[in-house]
């Protein structure tokens, strides 16, 4: 795994959690009045307990979300520790804000009091340094 892939894991896992939360919303909305049909279809027999099926699907989705959130929390701690091993405080801060907090360069620039262009250049330098350290691990 490259350093880029390592740091991007948080963004990917965060996106996966967002998708799971959307799926949970769809499941929750499927139990709204009128969403359960008790009429027999020609090809299917009706679910004998549609509410029970719904509750089971909600519990499964919530458990899956909880597992992903735990994984994300563990990953954030690990990445933060590795970033924190760097020697330059500016590098630590820009990598942390970009790759752990998932901030945009403009927001990082505002937080750190620099221009977005300077932050992009600082990020390049910080990432190169992180890449050297990561590849040695």
């Amino acid at each position: 795994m490259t350093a880029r892939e390592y740091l991007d894991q948080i963004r990917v896992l965060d996106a996966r959690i967002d998708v799971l939360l959307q799926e949970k919303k769809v499941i929750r909305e499927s139990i709204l009045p009128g969403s359960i049909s008790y009429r027999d279809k020609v090809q299917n027999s009706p679910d004998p307990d549609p509410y029970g099926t719904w509750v089971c699907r909600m519990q499964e989705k919530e458990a899956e979300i909880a597992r992903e959130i735990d994984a994300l929390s563990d990953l954030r701690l690990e990445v933060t520790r590795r970033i924190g091993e760097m020697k330059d405080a500016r590098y630590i801060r820009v990598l942390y804000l970009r790759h752990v907090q998932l901030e945009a360069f403009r927001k990082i620039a505002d937080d750190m009091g620099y221009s977005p262009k300077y932050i992009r250049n600082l990020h390049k330098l910080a990432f190169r340094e992180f890449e050297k350290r990561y590849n040695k691990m």
Side-chain angles (χ1 to χ4, degrees), residues 108-125:
I108 296 168
D110 289 344
D111 290 350
M112 293 180 69
Y114 296 112
S115 72
K117 183 178 179 179
Y118 177 81
I119 291 299
R120 281 188 187 85
N121 290 332
L122 182 63
H123 179 266
K124 284 180 191 175
L125 295 171

Side-chain angles (χ1 to χ4, degrees), residues 90-134:
R90 295 170 309 144
Y91 289 2
I92 293 170
R93 188 144 185 232
V94 75
L95 288 175
Y96 175 79
L97 290 172
R98 181 69 178 164
H99 296 285
V100 178
Q101 293 297 315
L102 307 177
E103 298 288 353
F105 285 120
R106 184 170 299 283
K107 172 93 168 66
I108 296 168
D110 289 344
D111 290 350
M112 293 180 69
Y114 296 112
S115 72
K117 183 178 179 179
Y118 177 81
I119 291 299
R120 281 188 187 85
N121 290 332
L122 182 63
H123 179 266
K124 284 180 191 175
L125 295 171
F127 181 77
R128 285 184 193 138
E129 182 65 29
F130 182 82
E131 200 169 29
K132 287 177 194 172
R133 294 173 142 276
Y134 180 81

Side-chain angles (χ1 to χ4, degrees), residues 12 29 32 34 45 51 58 72 74 99 118 122:
V12 169
E29 289 171 354
L32 294 174
S45 60
Y51 185 74
M58 281 295 288
L72 178 60
D74 292 344
H99 296 285
Y118 177 81
L122 182 63

